[in-house]
Amino acid sequence: MGGGDFCSKLGTGICQKLKNSSENMEQSFNNSISNSKIGKYFKLQARNTCFTTELRAATATFLTMVYIISVNATILSDSGGTCSVSDCTPPYSNQTTTLAPPDCKFKPNVGYDQCVSKIKKDLIVATAVSAMIGSIGMGIFANLPLALAPGMGTNAYVAYNLVGFHGSGPISYETVMAIVLVESCAFLVVAVFGLRTKVARFVPRSIRLAGAAGIGLFIAFVGLQDNQGVGLVGPDSNTLVTLAACTHKDVITGACTGGVMQSPTFWLGFVGFLITCYGLMKDVKGSMISGILFVTLISWIRHTSVTVFPDTPVGDAKYEYFKKVVEFHKIESTLGAISFTNFNRSEVWVALFTLLYVDILATTGTLYTMAELGGFTNEKGEFQGEYIAYMVDAGTSIVGSTIGVSPIATYIESSAGIREGGRTGLTAILVGFYFLLSIFFIPLFSSVPSWAIGPSLVIVGALMMKVIKDIEWNNIKDGVPAFVTILLMPLTYSISNGIIGGIGMYIALSLCDYGVGLFKWLIKMKNMVSKEQNQVSATVATDRIVEVL
């Protein structure tokens, strides 16, 4: 029975009364919280928001970034974590030895695979716990609607560049966690003494605005890819990226081998995209959530072409795990896995400084972008809670290193919640509680498909582009660095690269101005000296004439 039929039977007046009663109850509930100590602490009225709006914003933020629970764990577990050759079990490829060969980690081995599986479960919980602590801390102490979690980019650097696939890199997992701990402590010192804030304020306004647009393109690009999105773009050996959404692709390269634009999951994600866009057009609250839930619920149906549980051994295993619904896993292998024994190696210090500068630049850029988007900044680029926000970010990274995850970052997906009206720390606290619940419902939350998350990332990226209008494009000194910032973020797949490139270009153009100014000053000084010399010469000549006379 439709809503119209229901109202026609009960009467329009009754329906209107029910609607008004519901709205009055909600308003009364919000007013009571806004006038309470909690409401006054979080400044709900001052920031023109209410509890239900904050709850809706938190839900949007969490559903947009929930992918990090499984994605971060998958990336970090690729390093093998604390697993080693000793975890390998017979039979080995070389039947003549009873000792595990070094290459047993890179070949199918029951013992090693079981160890990696356990590491992954540890990291799923560790990811959720660190996100919970960071988000709640940001909400309570900084009163900002920003969610935190292990950062994308730094986790890949840790897993693939430092530890290496299954421990094939130059540094062990335990040593890398020690590096993250030291880097986080250094980060905290920088934040406590206010150095990070001062450094951030040296960033020109055009770069900060361009950072918002660049990050928008970056997350939209993520949403269009196959790993964390709808799969519309894919790799190409000639053009690097190309149109994809294909039904068949190369297992090794990921390139399309057939069925371009025929992927059913892409079209399902596209429907979710349209649902969200239509809701935003009509100013429907919770539009982001609607699109994500629609796609996710359909994808949970088995034996369809869009299911997240295909009829394969892997799909069957995922479905059996999904059916558990509730499962609690205690962190064991990655808890306290820290070692300082190899800190005398140069690779360790290179990694430490790399993580530190990436953390400072990327997180600072994200914080200021989110503050600009939420309208928290003043004319000087300052915003309430920034000093505490930096310390919360650094402090959470310290905690994260002790349970085995890469540096924590403020997430750009927080923009989804800001778009839904989140303006206070209640949004971040509620996101933290969602992550707390996810610890017990990992089978459900880890089963949200990428093609449900991708559309929302694209929409958030589109919404973040509006700041471009405030950049002074006619001023080359502002326009070119801003363009470089926007361009490099998606094309180099790095927020920090975009910020570094934009600032570098701004400095280079400023040096040109200084150089021209210095040249003009030198010419002026030369003319002044020449004039004085001429005056002296004329005076001497006059004196000589007088002497002769």
Side-chain angles (χ1 to χ4, degrees), residues 471-515:
I471 299 173
E472 296 182 16
W473 293 106
N474 292 329
N475 184 347
I476 296 299
K477 187 178 176 181
D478 284 334
V480 172
F483 178 73
V484 170
T485 301
I486 295 171
L487 188 69
L488 288 182
M489 284 188 183
L491 294 187
T492 65
Y493 211 71
S494 170
I495 294 172
S496 57
N497 284 350
I499 296 172
I500 292 170
I503 293 176
M505 181 58 66
Y506 189 89
I507 292 173
L509 294 179
S510 296
L511 288 176
C512 289
D513 282 343
Y514 291 138

mmCIF file of all heavy atoms in Angstrom, residues 471-515:
data_model
loop_
_atom_site.group_PDB
_atom_site.id
_atom_site.type_symbol
_atom_site.label_atom_id
_atom_site.label_comp_id
_atom_site.label_asym_id
_atom_site.label_seq_id
_atom_site.Cartn_x
_atom_site.Cartn_y
_atom_site.Cartn_z
ATOM 1 N N ILE A 471 39.256 30.995 -6.394
ATOM 2 C CA ILE A 471 40.670 31.158 -6.761
ATOM 3 C C ILE A 471 40.796 32.270 -7.795
ATOM 4 O O ILE A 471 40.010 32.338 -8.744
ATOM 5 C CB ILE A 471 41.247 29.840 -7.320
ATOM 6 C CG1 ILE A 471 41.178 28.732 -6.264
ATOM 7 C CG2 ILE A 471 42.692 30.033 -7.786
ATOM 8 C CD1 ILE A 471 41.574 27.366 -6.789
ATOM 9 N N GLU A 472 41.757 33.159 -7.637
ATOM 10 C CA GLU A 472 41.971 34.259 -8.578
ATOM 11 C C GLU A 472 42.767 33.748 -9.789
ATOM 12 O O GLU A 472 43.996 33.854 -9.851
ATOM 13 C CB GLU A 472 42.715 35.405 -7.886
ATOM 14 C CG GLU A 472 41.927 36.040 -6.749
ATOM 15 C CD GLU A 472 42.667 37.205 -6.123
ATOM 16 O OE1 GLU A 472 43.632 37.704 -6.747
ATOM 17 O OE2 GLU A 472 42.293 37.616 -5.015
ATOM 18 N N TRP A 473 42.038 33.193 -10.756
ATOM 19 C CA TRP A 473 42.685 32.573 -11.910
ATOM 20 C C TRP A 473 43.380 33.596 -12.805
ATOM 21 O O TRP A 473 44.314 33.246 -13.535
ATOM 22 C CB TRP A 473 41.656 31.777 -12.712
ATOM 23 C CG TRP A 473 41.134 30.585 -11.980
ATOM 24 C CD1 TRP A 473 39.911 30.442 -11.406
ATOM 25 C CD2 TRP A 473 41.835 29.363 -11.719
ATOM 26 N NE1 TRP A 473 39.798 29.207 -10.807
ATOM 27 C CE2 TRP A 473 40.963 28.522 -10.984
ATOM 28 C CE3 TRP A 473 43.110 28.887 -12.034
ATOM 29 C CZ2 TRP A 473 41.322 27.245 -10.560
ATOM 30 C CZ3 TRP A 473 43.470 27.611 -11.620
ATOM 31 C CH2 TRP A 473 42.588 26.806 -10.900
ATOM 32 N N ASN A 474 42.921 34.848 -12.775
ATOM 33 C CA ASN A 474 43.557 35.874 -13.607
ATOM 34 C C ASN A 474 44.940 36.253 -13.089
ATOM 35 O O ASN A 474 45.751 36.803 -13.826
ATOM 36 C CB ASN A 474 42.669 37.124 -13.656
ATOM 37 C CG ASN A 474 41.382 36.877 -14.423
ATOM 38 O OD1 ASN A 474 41.351 36.072 -15.358
ATOM 39 N ND2 ASN A 474 40.305 37.564 -14.040
ATOM 40 N N ASN A 475 45.176 35.959 -11.820
ATOM 41 C CA ASN A 475 46.491 36.210 -11.237
ATOM 42 C C ASN A 475 47.342 34.956 -11.414
ATOM 43 O O ASN A 475 47.121 33.936 -10.753
ATOM 44 C CB ASN A 475 46.340 36.554 -9.745
ATOM 45 C CG ASN A 475 47.661 36.923 -9.091
ATOM 46 O OD1 ASN A 475 48.734 36.711 -9.655
ATOM 47 N ND2 ASN A 475 47.589 37.461 -7.896
ATOM 48 N N ILE A 476 48.285 35.006 -12.338
ATOM 49 C CA ILE A 476 49.096 33.828 -12.674
ATOM 50 C C ILE A 476 49.824 33.279 -11.455
ATOM 51 O O ILE A 476 49.975 32.059 -11.293
ATOM 52 C CB ILE A 476 50.115 34.162 -13.788
ATOM 53 C CG1 ILE A 476 49.378 34.532 -15.075
ATOM 54 C CG2 ILE A 476 51.050 32.977 -14.047
ATOM 55 C CD1 ILE A 476 48.506 33.416 -15.631
ATOM 56 N N LYS A 477 50.253 34.179 -10.570
ATOM 57 C CA LYS A 477 50.987 33.745 -9.380
ATOM 58 C C LYS A 477 50.121 32.873 -8.474
ATOM 59 O O LYS A 477 50.634 32.009 -7.764
ATOM 60 C CB LYS A 477 51.485 34.967 -8.608
ATOM 61 C CG LYS A 477 52.395 34.643 -7.432
ATOM 62 C CD LYS A 477 52.882 35.915 -6.764
ATOM 63 C CE LYS A 477 53.716 35.599 -5.535
ATOM 64 N NZ LYS A 477 54.187 36.826 -4.857
ATOM 65 N N ASP A 478 48.811 33.080 -8.493
ATOM 66 C CA ASP A 478 47.889 32.241 -7.731
ATOM 67 C C ASP A 478 47.336 31.103 -8.580
ATOM 68 O O ASP A 478 47.181 29.980 -8.111
ATOM 69 C CB ASP A 478 46.721 33.088 -7.193
ATOM 70 C CG ASP A 478 47.115 33.928 -5.997
ATOM 71 O OD1 ASP A 478 48.059 33.539 -5.289
ATOM 72 O OD2 ASP A 478 46.490 34.975 -5.786
ATOM 73 N N GLY A 479 47.026 31.401 -9.836
ATOM 74 C CA GLY A 479 46.345 30.437 -10.695
ATOM 75 C C GLY A 479 47.179 29.215 -11.063
ATOM 76 O O GLY A 479 46.711 28.079 -10.966
ATOM 77 N N VAL A 480 48.427 29.444 -11.483
ATOM 78 C CA VAL A 480 49.275 28.314 -11.921
ATOM 79 C C VAL A 480 49.599 27.360 -10.764
ATOM 80 O O VAL A 480 49.455 26.143 -10.906
ATOM 81 C CB VAL A 480 50.560 28.829 -12.602
ATOM 82 C CG1 VAL A 480 51.523 27.675 -12.873
ATOM 83 C CG2 VAL A 480 50.208 29.531 -13.911
ATOM 84 N N PRO A 481 50.043 27.859 -9.580
ATOM 85 C CA PRO A 481 50.270 26.934 -8.463
ATOM 86 C C PRO A 481 49.006 26.187 -8.052
ATOM 87 O O PRO A 481 49.070 25.011 -7.701
ATOM 88 C CB PRO A 481 50.750 27.863 -7.333
ATOM 89 C CG PRO A 481 51.343 29.032 -8.022
ATOM 90 C CD PRO A 481 50.488 29.233 -9.230
ATOM 91 N N ALA A 482 47.847 26.874 -8.110
ATOM 92 C CA ALA A 482 46.588 26.213 -7.777
ATOM 93 C C ALA A 482 46.307 25.089 -8.769
ATOM 94 O O ALA A 482 45.892 23.986 -8.386
ATOM 95 C CB ALA A 482 45.446 27.224 -7.778
ATOM 96 N N PHE A 483 46.541 25.349 -10.051
ATOM 97 C CA PHE A 483 46.312 24.332 -11.078
ATOM 98 C C PHE A 483 47.245 23.141 -10.891
ATOM 99 O O PHE A 483 46.833 21.981 -11.028
ATOM 100 C CB PHE A 483 46.519 24.938 -12.466
ATOM 101 C CG PHE A 483 46.340 23.953 -13.585
ATOM 102 C CD1 PHE A 483 45.076 23.491 -13.924
ATOM 103 C CD2 PHE A 483 47.433 23.470 -14.289
ATOM 104 C CE1 PHE A 483 44.915 22.564 -14.956
ATOM 105 C CE2 PHE A 483 47.280 22.556 -15.308
ATOM 106 C CZ PHE A 483 46.009 22.096 -15.643
ATOM 107 N N VAL A 484 48.516 23.417 -10.579
ATOM 108 C CA VAL A 484 49.486 22.339 -10.337
ATOM 109 C C VAL A 484 49.035 21.476 -9.154
ATOM 110 O O VAL A 484 49.115 20.242 -9.198
ATOM 111 C CB VAL A 484 50.883 22.921 -10.080
ATOM 112 C CG1 VAL A 484 51.847 21.844 -9.580
ATOM 113 C CG2 VAL A 484 51.441 23.553 -11.355
ATOM 114 N N THR A 485 48.542 22.126 -8.107
ATOM 115 C CA THR A 485 48.050 21.391 -6.934
ATOM 116 C C THR A 485 46.901 20.459 -7.308
ATOM 117 O O THR A 485 46.897 19.279 -6.949
ATOM 118 C CB THR A 485 47.565 22.386 -5.846
ATOM 119 O OG1 THR A 485 48.641 23.235 -5.484
ATOM 120 C CG2 THR A 485 47.074 21.646 -4.619
ATOM 121 N N ILE A 486 45.934 21.001 -8.041
ATOM 122 C CA ILE A 486 44.763 20.211 -8.444
ATOM 123 C C ILE A 486 45.171 19.069 -9.361
ATOM 124 O O ILE A 486 44.685 17.946 -9.239
ATOM 125 C CB ILE A 486 43.731 21.117 -9.143
ATOM 126 C CG1 ILE A 486 43.184 22.157 -8.155
ATOM 127 C CG2 ILE A 486 42.592 20.306 -9.734
ATOM 128 C CD1 ILE A 486 42.319 23.226 -8.799
ATOM 129 N N LEU A 487 46.095 19.356 -10.282
ATOM 130 C CA LEU A 487 46.489 18.371 -11.286
ATOM 131 C C LEU A 487 47.257 17.197 -10.695
ATOM 132 O O LEU A 487 47.019 16.029 -11.037
ATOM 133 C CB LEU A 487 47.337 19.063 -12.359
ATOM 134 C CG LEU A 487 47.700 18.242 -13.601
ATOM 135 C CD1 LEU A 487 46.448 17.977 -14.438
ATOM 136 C CD2 LEU A 487 48.738 18.978 -14.432
ATOM 137 N N LEU A 488 48.193 17.494 -9.787
ATOM 138 C CA LEU A 488 49.087 16.454 -9.297
ATOM 139 C C LEU A 488 48.410 15.473 -8.338
ATOM 140 O O LEU A 488 48.807 14.314 -8.272
ATOM 141 C CB LEU A 488 50.300 17.086 -8.605
ATOM 142 C CG LEU A 488 51.325 17.776 -9.501
ATOM 143 C CD1 LEU A 488 52.486 18.300 -8.681
ATOM 144 C CD2 LEU A 488 51.831 16.822 -10.582
ATOM 145 N N MET A 489 47.425 15.924 -7.586
ATOM 146 C CA MET A 489 46.820 15.036 -6.588
ATOM 147 C C MET A 489 46.228 13.766 -7.210
ATOM 148 O O MET A 489 46.574 12.657 -6.791
ATOM 149 C CB MET A 489 45.772 15.785 -5.773
ATOM 150 C CG MET A 489 46.389 16.712 -4.732
ATOM 151 S SD MET A 489 45.164 17.410 -3.636
ATOM 152 C CE MET A 489 46.190 18.484 -2.633
ATOM 153 N N PRO A 490 45.352 13.870 -8.215
ATOM 154 C CA PRO A 490 44.839 12.629 -8.799
ATOM 155 C C PRO A 490 45.835 11.912 -9.707
ATOM 156 O O PRO A 490 45.884 10.687 -9.742
ATOM 157 C CB PRO A 490 43.605 13.089 -9.595
ATOM 158 C CG PRO A 490 43.875 14.512 -9.914
ATOM 159 C CD PRO A 490 44.673 15.051 -8.769
ATOM 160 N N LEU A 491 46.664 12.674 -10.433
ATOM 161 C CA LEU A 491 47.559 12.053 -11.413
ATOM 162 C C LEU A 491 48.752 11.357 -10.769
ATOM 163 O O LEU A 491 49.295 10.402 -11.336
ATOM 164 C CB LEU A 491 48.040 13.091 -12.424
ATOM 165 C CG LEU A 491 46.964 13.677 -13.348
ATOM 166 C CD1 LEU A 491 47.595 14.553 -14.419
ATOM 167 C CD2 LEU A 491 46.135 12.571 -14.002
ATOM 168 N N THR A 492 49.190 11.828 -9.603
ATOM 169 C CA THR A 492 50.276 11.149 -8.886
ATOM 170 C C THR A 492 49.736 10.289 -7.755
ATOM 171 O O THR A 492 50.502 9.657 -7.038
ATOM 172 C CB THR A 492 51.283 12.155 -8.307
ATOM 173 O OG1 THR A 492 50.628 12.955 -7.312
ATOM 174 C CG2 THR A 492 51.838 13.052 -9.387
ATOM 175 N N TYR A 493 48.411 10.288 -7.590
ATOM 176 C CA TYR A 493 47.732 9.504 -6.555
ATOM 177 C C TYR A 493 48.274 9.846 -5.176
ATOM 178 O O TYR A 493 48.516 8.985 -4.338
ATOM 179 C CB TYR A 493 47.903 8.007 -6.833
ATOM 180 C CG TYR A 493 46.730 7.178 -6.367
ATOM 181 C CD1 TYR A 493 45.518 7.250 -7.029
ATOM 182 C CD2 TYR A 493 46.831 6.334 -5.271
ATOM 183 C CE1 TYR A 493 44.432 6.501 -6.609
ATOM 184 C CE2 TYR A 493 45.746 5.579 -4.845
ATOM 185 C CZ TYR A 493 44.553 5.662 -5.525
ATOM 186 O OH TYR A 493 43.476 4.928 -5.104
ATOM 187 N N SER A 494 48.461 11.140 -4.935
ATOM 188 C CA SER A 494 49.039 11.571 -3.670
ATOM 189 C C SER A 494 48.605 12.995 -3.353
ATOM 190 O O SER A 494 48.832 13.909 -4.159
ATOM 191 C CB SER A 494 50.569 11.490 -3.718
ATOM 192 O OG SER A 494 51.140 12.116 -2.601
ATOM 193 N N ILE A 495 48.002 13.185 -2.189
ATOM 194 C CA ILE A 495 47.615 14.520 -1.745
ATOM 195 C C ILE A 495 48.862 15.350 -1.442
ATOM 196 O O ILE A 495 48.942 16.525 -1.790
ATOM 197 C CB ILE A 495 46.710 14.430 -0.510
ATOM 198 C CG1 ILE A 495 45.377 13.768 -0.885
ATOM 199 C CG2 ILE A 495 46.452 15.802 0.094
ATOM 200 C CD1 ILE A 495 44.493 13.453 0.296
ATOM 201 N N SER A 496 49.835 14.730 -0.783
ATOM 202 C CA SER A 496 51.050 15.467 -0.402
ATOM 203 C C SER A 496 51.826 15.939 -1.628
ATOM 204 O O SER A 496 52.385 17.038 -1.621
ATOM 205 C CB SER A 496 51.937 14.598 0.490
ATOM 206 O OG SER A 496 52.269 13.391 -0.159
ATOM 207 N N ASN A 497 51.870 15.142 -2.698
ATOM 208 C CA ASN A 497 52.568 15.565 -3.911
ATOM 209 C C ASN A 497 51.937 16.821 -4.497
ATOM 210 O O ASN A 497 52.633 17.712 -4.989
ATOM 211 C CB ASN A 497 52.553 14.452 -4.961
ATOM 212 C CG ASN A 497 53.529 13.341 -4.644
ATOM 213 O OD1 ASN A 497 54.356 13.467 -3.749
ATOM 214 N ND2 ASN A 497 53.425 12.232 -5.355
ATOM 215 N N GLY A 498 50.607 16.877 -4.457
ATOM 216 C CA GLY A 498 49.915 18.051 -4.963
ATOM 217 C C GLY A 498 50.241 19.288 -4.154
ATOM 218 O O GLY A 498 50.489 20.368 -4.715
ATOM 219 N N ILE A 499 50.255 19.150 -2.839
ATOM 220 C CA ILE A 499 50.566 20.291 -1.969
ATOM 221 C C ILE A 499 52.008 20.744 -2.173
ATOM 222 O O ILE A 499 52.292 21.940 -2.291
ATOM 223 C CB ILE A 499 50.322 19.921 -0.498
ATOM 224 C CG1 ILE A 499 48.828 19.635 -0.270
ATOM 225 C CG2 ILE A 499 50.779 21.036 0.432
ATOM 226 C CD1 ILE A 499 48.515 19.067 1.098
ATOM 227 N N ILE A 500 52.935 19.771 -2.234
ATOM 228 C CA ILE A 500 54.350 20.098 -2.442
ATOM 229 C C ILE A 500 54.544 20.792 -3.786
ATOM 230 O O ILE A 500 55.249 21.805 -3.890
ATOM 231 C CB ILE A 500 55.217 18.826 -2.367
ATOM 232 C CG1 ILE A 500 55.217 18.275 -0.941
ATOM 233 C CG2 ILE A 500 56.643 19.124 -2.812
ATOM 234 C CD1 ILE A 500 55.855 16.899 -0.832
ATOM 235 N N GLY A 501 53.910 20.259 -4.829
ATOM 236 C CA GLY A 501 54.035 20.850 -6.160
ATOM 237 C C GLY A 501 53.487 22.259 -6.222
ATOM 238 O O GLY A 501 54.104 23.160 -6.810
ATOM 239 N N GLY A 502 52.306 22.472 -5.610
ATOM 240 C CA GLY A 502 51.701 23.802 -5.618
ATOM 241 C C GLY A 502 52.527 24.821 -4.862
ATOM 242 O O GLY A 502 52.756 25.944 -5.346
ATOM 243 N N ILE A 503 52.995 24.436 -3.663
ATOM 244 C CA ILE A 503 53.825 25.348 -2.869
ATOM 245 C C ILE A 503 55.146 25.638 -3.581
ATOM 246 O O ILE A 503 55.623 26.773 -3.604
ATOM 247 C CB ILE A 503 54.086 24.754 -1.470
ATOM 248 C CG1 ILE A 503 52.783 24.691 -0.669
ATOM 249 C CG2 ILE A 503 55.124 25.576 -0.714
ATOM 250 C CD1 ILE A 503 52.921 24.025 0.682
ATOM 251 N N GLY A 504 55.734 24.591 -4.171
ATOM 252 C CA GLY A 504 56.994 24.775 -4.898
ATOM 253 C C GLY A 504 56.837 25.742 -6.063
ATOM 254 O O GLY A 504 57.697 26.613 -6.276
ATOM 255 N N MET A 505 55.728 25.604 -6.807
ATOM 256 C CA MET A 505 55.490 26.509 -7.931
ATOM 257 C C MET A 505 55.254 27.938 -7.445
ATOM 258 O O MET A 505 55.737 28.902 -8.052
ATOM 259 C CB MET A 505 54.282 26.017 -8.735
ATOM 260 C CG MET A 505 53.957 26.867 -9.957
ATOM 261 S SD MET A 505 55.330 26.984 -11.128
ATOM 262 C CE MET A 505 55.440 25.281 -11.680
ATOM 263 N N TYR A 506 54.529 28.073 -6.326
ATOM 264 C CA TYR A 506 54.269 29.412 -5.768
ATOM 265 C C TYR A 506 55.576 30.077 -5.341
ATOM 266 O O TYR A 506 55.790 31.261 -5.603
ATOM 267 C CB TYR A 506 53.319 29.292 -4.572
ATOM 268 C CG TYR A 506 52.818 30.613 -4.048
ATOM 269 C CD1 TYR A 506 51.655 31.185 -4.558
ATOM 270 C CD2 TYR A 506 53.504 31.290 -3.041
ATOM 271 C CE1 TYR A 506 51.192 32.406 -4.085
ATOM 272 C CE2 TYR A 506 53.052 32.515 -2.558
ATOM 273 C CZ TYR A 506 51.894 33.066 -3.080
ATOM 274 O OH TYR A 506 51.438 34.275 -2.609
ATOM 275 N N ILE A 507 56.460 29.312 -4.711
ATOM 276 C CA ILE A 507 57.760 29.852 -4.284
ATOM 277 C C ILE A 507 58.595 30.244 -5.496
ATOM 278 O O ILE A 507 59.240 31.300 -5.510
ATOM 279 C CB ILE A 507 58.509 28.811 -3.422
ATOM 280 C CG1 ILE A 507 57.785 28.619 -2.080
ATOM 281 C CG2 ILE A 507 59.951 29.245 -3.182
ATOM 282 C CD1 ILE A 507 58.354 27.498 -1.233
ATOM 283 N N ALA A 508 58.575 29.387 -6.528
ATOM 284 C CA ALA A 508 59.362 29.677 -7.730
ATOM 285 C C ALA A 508 58.901 30.968 -8.388
ATOM 286 O O ALA A 508 59.718 31.806 -8.796
ATOM 287 C CB ALA A 508 59.242 28.514 -8.712
ATOM 288 N N LEU A 509 57.580 31.161 -8.498
ATOM 289 C CA LEU A 509 57.061 32.382 -9.104
ATOM 290 C C LEU A 509 57.326 33.593 -8.214
ATOM 291 O O LEU A 509 57.552 34.703 -8.715
ATOM 292 C CB LEU A 509 55.560 32.237 -9.360
ATOM 293 C CG LEU A 509 55.160 31.186 -10.410
ATOM 294 C CD1 LEU A 509 53.654 31.122 -10.569
ATOM 295 C CD2 LEU A 509 55.816 31.487 -11.754
ATOM 296 N N SER A 510 57.293 33.381 -6.901
ATOM 297 C CA SER A 510 57.604 34.484 -5.976
ATOM 298 C C SER A 510 59.062 34.885 -6.096
ATOM 299 O O SER A 510 59.400 36.072 -6.020
ATOM 300 C CB SER A 510 57.281 34.059 -4.540
ATOM 301 O OG SER A 510 55.906 33.806 -4.376
ATOM 302 N N LEU A 511 59.940 33.895 -6.278
ATOM 303 C CA LEU A 511 61.367 34.192 -6.434
ATOM 304 C C LEU A 511 61.613 35.015 -7.692
ATOM 305 O O LEU A 511 62.516 35.861 -7.727
ATOM 306 C CB LEU A 511 62.172 32.886 -6.487
ATOM 307 C CG LEU A 511 62.303 32.138 -5.160
ATOM 308 C CD1 LEU A 511 63.046 30.824 -5.369
ATOM 309 C CD2 LEU A 511 63.027 32.990 -4.123
ATOM 310 N N CYS A 512 60.799 34.776 -8.721
ATOM 311 C CA CYS A 512 60.919 35.586 -9.937
ATOM 312 C C CYS A 512 60.621 37.044 -9.627
ATOM 313 O O CYS A 512 61.328 37.953 -10.077
ATOM 314 C CB CYS A 512 59.958 35.066 -11.011
ATOM 315 S SG CYS A 512 60.423 33.480 -11.716
ATOM 316 N N ASP A 513 59.559 37.256 -8.848
ATOM 317 C CA ASP A 513 59.213 38.620 -8.437
ATOM 318 C C ASP A 513 60.338 39.245 -7.628
ATOM 319 O O ASP A 513 60.722 40.406 -7.844
ATOM 320 C CB ASP A 513 57.926 38.620 -7.606
ATOM 321 C CG ASP A 513 56.684 38.487 -8.483
ATOM 322 O OD1 ASP A 513 56.807 38.713 -9.702
ATOM 323 O OD2 ASP A 513 55.614 38.159 -7.945
ATOM 324 N N TYR A 514 60.860 38.462 -6.680
ATOM 325 C CA TYR A 514 61.947 38.965 -5.855
ATOM 326 C C TYR A 514 63.195 39.257 -6.696
ATOM 327 O O TYR A 514 63.912 40.231 -6.458
ATOM 328 C CB TYR A 514 62.287 37.956 -4.753
ATOM 329 C CG TYR A 514 61.212 37.810 -3.706
ATOM 330 C CD1 TYR A 514 60.854 36.554 -3.222
ATOM 331 C CD2 TYR A 514 60.550 38.922 -3.200
ATOM 332 C CE1 TYR A 514 59.859 36.412 -2.259
ATOM 333 C CE2 TYR A 514 59.559 38.791 -2.243
ATOM 334 C CZ TYR A 514 59.210 37.540 -1.777
ATOM 335 O OH TYR A 514 58.240 37.417 -0.840
ATOM 336 N N GLY A 515 63.445 38.374 -7.674
ATOM 337 C CA GLY A 515 64.598 38.574 -8.546
ATOM 338 C C GLY A 515 64.485 39.848 -9.364
ATOM 339 O O GLY A 515 65.443 40.622 -9.484
#
